Amino acid sequence: MSLVRWDPFAEFDTLFGRFPKSWPRVALDASGGTKFEWSPSADISETDKEYLIRAELPAVKKEDVRVTVDGGMITIAGERKLQKEDKNEKFHRVESFSGTFTRSFGLPDDADADAIRCENKDGVLTVHIAKKAGEKSRTRQIKVE
């Protein structure tokens, strides 16, 4: 079984249906100031051989992304940096977010943490998590006494 850190406010946004998870949040930085954090959207799927996490990271360089595994959790973190302003360009609307991001996911029991690989293509980070070879779990009924 994988343990997932509980966030008491995680369901707040979806409960009211107003704030998508990808919208930025205000957070405190190390110096006590404020900064924006945003969360990239992610799709999780499974094949016979592996689990896949596809995180949308447009305009994020691969050098600005870190993928770590620790304690049964995989974390994707990084930063989308502001683009330099062009003095000849006048913005009327800006909907893209910049700043740091972090997404963490619990690894399934049959995930092989030593065989994880990542690729970044067309603004999508794909994390390949291989399954351990071995006996598949089977469902059985337990008698209630």
Side-chain angles (χ1 to χ4, degrees):
M1 174 180 10
S2 297
L3 295 178
V4 178
R5 180 174 291 165
W6 180 59
D7 178 1
F9 300 104
E11 300 302 320
F12 180 79
D13 294 341
T14 55
L15 179 66
F16 293 100
R18 295 185 198 166
F19 310 108
K21 187 157 183 75
S22 61
W23 282 20
R25 296 182 308 260
V26 177
L28 295 176
D29 63 12
S31 64
T34 57
K35 64 179 181 175
F36 287 105
E37 289 183 339
W38 61 280
S39 294
S41 59
D43 298 331
I44 301 173
S45 61
E46 174 183 3
T47 67
D48 291 339
K49 297 180 181 182
E50 65 184 356
Y51 297 97
L52 298 164
I53 300 174
R54 291 183 183 92
E56 294 181 1
L57 301 175
V60 177
K61 296 178 182 178
K62 66 180 180 179
E63 298 84 25
D64 295 330
V65 177
R66 289 179 321 281
V67 180
T68 57
V69 177
D70 185 31
M73 298 287 288
I74 186 164
T75 300
I76 302 170
E79 181 179 9
R80 181 188 296 158
K81 297 179 180 172
L82 281 174
Q83 295 181 356
K84 294 182 181 179
E85 291 186 26
D86 183 357
K87 301 293 182 190
N88 299 324
E89 189 174 4
K90 179 179 175 184
F91 288 94
H92 295 281
R93 184 177 186 146
V94 177
E95 294 184 351
S96 57
F97 303 115
S98 61
T100 61
F101 61 88
T102 303
R103 292 292 307 265
S104 295
F105 306 94
L107 290 174
D109 292 334
D110 63 344
D112 186 353
D114 296 325
I116 296 175
R117 63 182 180 86
C118 302
E119 60 186 0
N120 192 356
K121 183 178 180 186
D122 298 329
V124 177
L125 175 73
T126 304
V127 181
H128 299 265
I129 306 166
K131 293 181 178 180
K132 292 179 185 173
E135 184 179 314
K136 294 192 178 217
S137 63
R138 58 184 174 90
T139 304
R140 63 184 181 106
Q141 184 173 352
I142 310 298
K143 183 179 178 183
V144 178
E145 295 181 25

